[in-house]
Amino acid sequence: MATQADITAMRRAIALAARGLGFTSPNPVVGCVVTDASGHPVGEGWHQRAGGPHAEVHALAAAGSAARGGTAYVTLEPCNHTGRTGPCAQALIEAGIARVVYAVGDPNREATGGADTLRAAGTEVGQGLLEDEAEAGNLAWLTAVRHGRPFVRWKYAATLDGRIAAADGSSRWITSAASRAEVHRLRAEADAVVVGGGTLRADDPHLAVRGIEGAAQPLRVALDTRAGVLPTARILDDAAPTLLVVGEDADTRHLPGVELLRLPLRDGRIGVDELLSGLYARGVRSVLLEGGPTLAGSFVAAGAVDQVVGYLAPVLLGAGPAALADAGINTITRALRLDVTDTARVGSDLRITAVPTASAVPTPKGA
């Protein structure tokens, strides 16, 4: 049975893991706390960047010889393979760690097996401590591994009656400055921010992270089937990398130097599955969907929305575009049901975070 000291150490490891959000893709965020044989914390660390030392290596380095006979608390099962870094399971064994407690099993077939390696070496292993908390902190990577496509978080801002703009198209600003600042945090945590052609033409969005010191800039992805974007568009500046997704036959001669992803069109549109596959192949493991209602509807219809973050302002309009357009749902029995996982006041607004219910989650590819 876990002690309060175990829980405290693992909760600290989960907090450490969060520091890697936005920097570790295509790897997971991981935190680790090492205590000595008497149970006193002597080292901690987190995975800081892809290709760099893993959380366990940082924590063991900080602990030094005090790690021998101690316990390592890790948010994810220690890896068992050699990639750009060595296997963490072996590093823990060599450091003389007597006990390893991890929260979430590693679903990556290439890296799993660390627990078995530790047990074979005589190390005591415990699993599942604060599993739900650790899973929530690593939701994007875990979803990507399990489904073979990027995790998709759909963010929208709307009035209390669900309008994202007034009847004349004006929308600045529906939500508070505090809500708008939070969106930059969501961008910083994502590998890519995605918008559609309608948003590209109507709003000329910039999509880069602002106001967060040291933040990693996400890949700005714009769907523009005919490549109609002008070279002067804000999304094409050098503040952050940009990927323009166009149809196979789009004329892009006016966009020299712009990175392109050419995809086949379905009824004049870019398919969600093809888009996500193309992004996954580029190492993208998490997407922030910031497009308008049409693009959001396409993602919902494709079963490709893993989390919804809605900012609702205490405002009524009564007319204007809704947050979600046609999503292929024509009867209440087919409605996408969600479980609310968090609610919070942000400035004058209400932020609601929700995920599809278990019955609505699509079967992972290859399952």
Side-chain angles (χ1 to χ4, degrees):
M1 179 179 292
T3 66
Q4 185 57 52
D6 291 333
I7 293 171
T8 299
M10 184 61 80
R11 191 155 280 141
R12 173 61 179 166
I14 292 170
L16 289 168
R19 297 184 182 183
L21 287 169
F23 296 96
T24 65
S25 189
N27 296 343
V29 294
V30 183
C32 177
V33 170
V34 172
T35 60
D36 63 17
S38 300
H40 297 101
V42 291
E44 60 181 33
W46 68 95
H47 186 36
Q48 299 176 12
R49 60 179 179 81
H54 290 186
E56 297 94 322
V57 174
H58 283 297
L60 289 171
S65 60
R68 187 161 299 277
T71 299
Y73 300 87
V74 196
T75 57
L76 185 70
E77 179 184 0
C79 67
N80 196 45
H81 79 300
T82 299
R84 284 184 284 183
T85 60
C88 290
Q90 191 60 42
L92 292 164
I93 293 167
E94 293 174 358
I97 289 289
R99 177 174 173 245
V100 173
V101 180
Y102 67 89
V104 180
D106 194 334
N108 186 346
R109 295 176 181 176
E110 294 182 358
T112 192
D116 291 338
T117 295
L118 289 163
R119 291 190 184 99
T123 307
E124 180 185 346
V125 178
Q127 64 187 76
L129 179 62
L130 301 186
E131 182 175 10
D132 289 346
E133 291 182 32
E135 177 122 5
N138 217 6
L139 181 61
W141 182 82
L142 289 167
T143 300
V145 171
R146 290 166 179 165
H147 293 281
R149 62 158 176 79
F151 166 85
V152 177
R153 171 184 284 147
W154 171 39
K155 182 279 302 178
Y156 71 92
T159 63
L160 203 56
D161 56 341
R163 306 295 176 176
I164 61 170
D168 65 356
S170 59
S171 61
R172 297 187 177 181
W173 296 103
I174 286 176
T175 53
S176 66
S179 292
R180 299 196 298 274
E182 264 209 5
V183 171
H184 287 278
R185 176 182 60 80
L186 295 180
R187 288 178 182 175
E189 292 179 0
D191 294 340
V193 180
V194 176
V195 297
T199 298
L200 193 64
R201 290 185 290 272
D203 298 340
D204 189 22
H206 192 229
L207 301 183
V209 176
R210 299 187 301 275
I212 302 178
E213 186 176 355
Q217 291 290 350
L219 176 67
R220 299 177 294 184
V221 180
L223 279 62
D224 188 15
T225 55
R226 298 179 181 176
V229 64
L230 298 176
T232 55
R234 298 172 70 214
I235 200 173
L236 298 180
D237 69 11
D238 59 1
T242 299
L243 177 67
L244 197 64
V245 185
V246 300
E248 288 179 313
D249 299 326
D251 185 352
T252 59
R253 287 174 293 179
H254 63 298
L255 299 170
V258 176
E259 185 178 359
L260 302 172
L261 173 59
R262 293 184 179 273
L263 292 175
L265 302 182
R266 295 182 187 174
D267 298 323
R269 293 185 177 184
I270 292 167
V272 171
D273 289 343
E274 289 82 359
L275 170 65
L276 292 178
S277 293
L279 293 178
Y280 192 86
R282 281 169 165 73
V284 171
R285 295 297 179 265
S286 62
V287 163
L288 180 63
L289 184 62
E290 286 201 42
T294 300
L295 186 62
S298 296
F299 271 73
V300 171
V305 171
D306 302 298
Q307 186 185 69
V308 180
V309 179
Y311 292 88
L312 301 181
V315 177
L316 298 175
L317 284 173
L324 184 66
D326 181 21
I329 300 169
N330 54 21
T331 178
I332 194 65
T333 58
R334 295 189 61 201
L336 178 60
R337 303 288 179 176
L338 306 173
D339 287 328
V340 174
T341 58
D342 183 64
T343 60
R345 285 289 299 269
V346 180
S348 59
D349 308 321
L350 176 65
R351 184 190 69 219
I352 298 177
T353 304
V355 298
T357 61
S359 61
V361 176
T363 302
K365 290 181 179 180

